Amino acid sequence: MIVLGVLISGRGSNLMAIVRAIEEDRLDARVAVVVSNRADAAGLAFAREKGIDAVWVDRAAFDSQAAYENEILGALQSRGVQWVVLAGYMRILGPTLLAAYPDHIVNIHPSLLPAFKGLDVPRRVLESGVSEAGCTVHLVDETLDGGRILAQARVPVLAGDTEASLSARILVEEHRLYPQVLQELSGL
Ligand code: GRF
C-alpha cells in the first residue's frame, strides 16, 4: 500500500479515477490528502465528499515560492505521503518539493511526450495534422513536462475531431493509465 498526496488545480477527473481504482481494488493505495492551489477546484469538493483531507494552499498568501511549497510539504509530510501525484496541477514545481520527494513525484500530461509539452495541447495537436495523440505519465523534475517517461497510451486523431472530442478520447486513456502506473509504483 502506498500513501499518495494528490495536487490539483481544477476539475479533478484524474483524482476521481484514482479514488475509483482504489475503491475497486485495482490500486493498492490510500489518498492521504488532496492539495489545491485554487479554492474553487471541483476536485477539492469531491475529496471532501469522500472524506479525504482536502487543503487549499493559496500562493498569494506567501512571500515566495519556497514558503508556498513548504506549506504544501507540511500538508504532505504530516500525513506520511510517499508519492506526490500531480493531477491537473497548473503550477511548475520548485526545488522545495522536488528536493523533498526525489523521483517520487509523478505527473500526467495529455500528449505523447516529448511532443507537445506545455498548455493547449489538443488545439496544437489538431493544428499540426499528426494522426496520433495520447497521454504520458512521467516523473517530475525541474524541466517542464520533461522528466523520465513511465508509460504512455495512444489514441488516433480522427477526421472531424474537435478539441473537445480529442480531449475526451485522451482523457479516457488518462483515467485508465494513471491508476495502472501508480499500481506498478506501489509494487516497487
Ligand atoms: C489532464 O488533461 C491532465 O493530463 C493535465 O491536466 C488535465 C487535468 O484534468 N495535466 P483533471 O483535473 O484531472 O480532470
Side-chain angles (χ1 to χ4, degrees), residues 63-147:
D63 289 344
S64 65
Q65 174 76 2
Y68 164 72
E69 289 202 348
N70 256 317
E71 181 74 15
I72 296 176
L73 197 53
L76 300 172
Q77 290 182 328
S78 64
R79 293 173 177 84
V81 166
Q82 297 166 313
W83 282 89
V84 180
V85 178
L86 307 188
Y89 179 66
M90 299 302 285
R91 297 191 59 92
I92 306 235
L93 255 53
T96 304
L97 281 168
L98 288 168
Y101 283 96
D103 287 338
H104 280 68
I105 306 178
V106 287
N107 182 43
I108 190 156
H109 182 76
S111 80
L112 296 171
L113 290 173
F116 301 106
K117 296 179 180 182
L119 297 175
D120 229 358
V121 176
R123 182 182 58 75
R124 288 158 54 213
V125 166
L126 291 175
E127 283 173 4
S128 76
V130 292
S131 61
E132 204 173 38
C135 57
T136 302
V137 177
H138 64 94
L139 291 179
V140 175
D141 63 16
E142 67 288 350
T143 63
L144 175 68
D145 299 325

Side-chain angles (χ1 to χ4, degrees), residues 8-16 86-90 107-111 135-136 145 167 170-171 174-175:
I8 64 168
S9 296
R11 180 175 61 178
S13 72
N14 278 287
L15 165 69
M16 294 173 198
L86 307 188
Y89 179 66
M90 299 302 285
N107 182 43
I108 190 156
H109 182 76
S111 80
C135 57
T136 302
D145 299 325
S167 294
I170 295 170
L171 204 57
E174 291 189 31
H175 296 166

